[in-house]
Each structure stands twice: as C-alpha cells, then as structure tokens.
Amino acid sequence: LLLEQQLEDANGDDGGPRDDRTSIIRVTDLRKSFGETDVLKGISMDIARGEVVVILGPSGSGKSTLLRCLNRLERPDSGQILFESQDITAHKVELNRVRERMGMVFQSFNLFPHLDSLHNVMLAQMKVCKRTKREAERVALCQLARVGLKDRADYFPDELSGGQQQRVAIARALAMDPHVMLFDEATSALDPELVRDVLDVMRELAQAGMTMVVVTHEMSFARDVADRVIFMEDGVVVEQGTPEQIFEHPSSDRTRAFIGAVS
Ligand code: ADP
Ligand code: MG
C-alpha cells in the first residue's frame, strides 16, 4: 500500500483529469510498411504517466506492429516516438537503454527452458542492468512473490502451467524496473482457466500506478481497468475514449461492429 501511495505521488495523481499529467510516450504520425503492405498509416497518440491504455482491434490491424515500434523491435519508416522526452526513432539511440525502461510481455512467454524461474528472472538483470548476482536474486525473488510464484522459484518452465510461465515472464520484465509495460495479447495463448491469474497480476500492476499499453481481446479487462481504450483498424486509430464511451456510445460504425462481435 505504501508503494501504491509512493507511485501515486510520483504520478501526481490528485484525482484531476488525466490530461493534466505529463505524457510519457508521444507518438506522432507513425508509419510502417512491410514491402507493399502499409501496416501503420499515420498513428498518433499520447500516453500519460500512470495511464492504462487498452488497444482493441481486429487481427491484422497493426496492433503488434505498433507495440513493436514503441520499444523499437521494429524501426518505423517515418514519424516520431518520444519516450520520456527522448526521440527513440533517432538513429543514435541506445536501444538497450530504451528497452530497460519499457518492459514487454508477449503472447508466447519465451522463457529459457534450461533455466528455473529464478534464473529466468535474474538473467537480463545481470546482462543488461549489470546487477550483481546477489542483487539480481534479491529482485527476482521479490518480483516472483509479486506475481504469486514465490514457491515456484526453482521450477523449470516445463514444470509450470502456461499461466505460471506468463507470470514468470511478467516478473522478468518487472525486474528491470520499467517505466512502461507493454502487453501484446498476454493471455491469448492460455487455457481459459489460467487467464484470470494473469489478468489479476496485470490489474494489480495497474492499481499500483504502472503505465501500461495493453493489446487484448479481454473486454472485461478493458472495461474495468483501462483509463482509455483505443480502437484500431487497418493501420489507423479509428476512435478512442473512456471505456464507457467506447463500449456504450461508440461514435464509429466500425467500432460498434467490432464491440458487438466480440462482447
Ligand atoms: P495485429 O497485431 O493487429 O494482428 P500485426 O501488427 O501483427 O497486426 O500485423 C499487421 C499486418 O502486418 C498484417 O497484415 C501482417 O501480415 C503484417 N506484418 C506484420 N509483421 C510483418 C512482417 N515482419 N513482415 C511482413 N508483414 C508483416
Ligand atoms: Mg498482434
């Protein structure tokens, strides 16, 4: 609870409108093509510190490409991404320094099969953050406890359920002390009964004040947790607003059709 308070203070959350917050990510006219296919056709968005933004949209609309551009797994063709006021589309930018501050969780957990949970969470801390083994272990145990896996530190990935593996992947990202967390369909590969535990961890993270950009098809998560919902289709932002605006009063027919089809 103390941590939540500290995060809130740091975020300047006085209950005022979100617009008053400083933006942590500012995307301007982002474009990306693969060969002849224009995938992102001029995306602009602002994400405030502490904000939870859920991105919805049909398959193929460019959601993953957008997230991958945000942490520079893809190089955009044009446009600008300011992350904590730094232009991360610039050529000279140090990508490791960017990715330390921007954690990403994918649909596939990508854990190292030959390492137990503890060492999966320790590895990048030592390699990227140059932490000592002792410090990395301390942080790893703390983050594993945070995702409810304190007693699974010495389990290997194939001894864990999909939901547990995904929570290890979340702990691994959190161990880097990211300023933003990106989630790309983090629960889509999980059996339905395992989805809830992962969503609960994401919910707690949101409540603790983490800035999050979440691509998901979990409509109840979007409704309950999002500060803002962005609906994307065909490489453009069609509409954005509060969950209430998007779910109850969508202004675009395309949004209405999508919401109607999935909920
Ligand atoms: P979404 O996550 O919304 O389903 P994606 O960003 O994965 O959408 O993909 C959008 C479009 O870009 C799709 O048509 C996909 O085939 C294409 N695409 C994505 N990545 C690549 C790539 N590396 N090479 C070629 N085409 C790609
Ligand atoms: Mg995708």
Side-chain angles (χ1 to χ4, degrees), residues 163 187-199 218:
T187 59
S188 294
L190 301 177
D191 292 333
E193 70 273 19
L194 302 177
V195 168
R196 176 196 282 259
D197 289 339
V198 173
L199 290 181
E218 295 289 335

Side-chain angles (χ1 to χ4, degrees), residues 34 37 39 57-66 74 184-185 215:
F34 294 107
T37 317
V39 175
S59 175
S61 51
K63 305 180 300 296
S64 294
T65 304
L66 172 62
E74 298 285 357
D184 192 1
E185 300 202 29
V215 172

Side-chain angles (χ1 to χ4, degrees), residues 198-243:
V198 173
L199 290 181
D200 284 347
V201 166
M202 292 167 64
R203 211 179 284 262
E204 277 166 27
L205 203 52
Q207 276 159 7
M210 179 63 78
T211 307
M212 295 165 60
V213 184
V214 182
V215 172
T216 186
H217 296 295
E218 295 289 335
M219 293 299 145
S220 62
F221 180 87
R223 274 176 195 266
D224 298 347
V225 184
D227 294 306
R228 184 152 52 102
V229 175
I230 293 178
F231 177 66
M232 265 181 80
E233 189 169 58
D234 203 15
V236 298
V237 171
V238 173
E239 179 171 0
Q240 56 178 309
T242 63

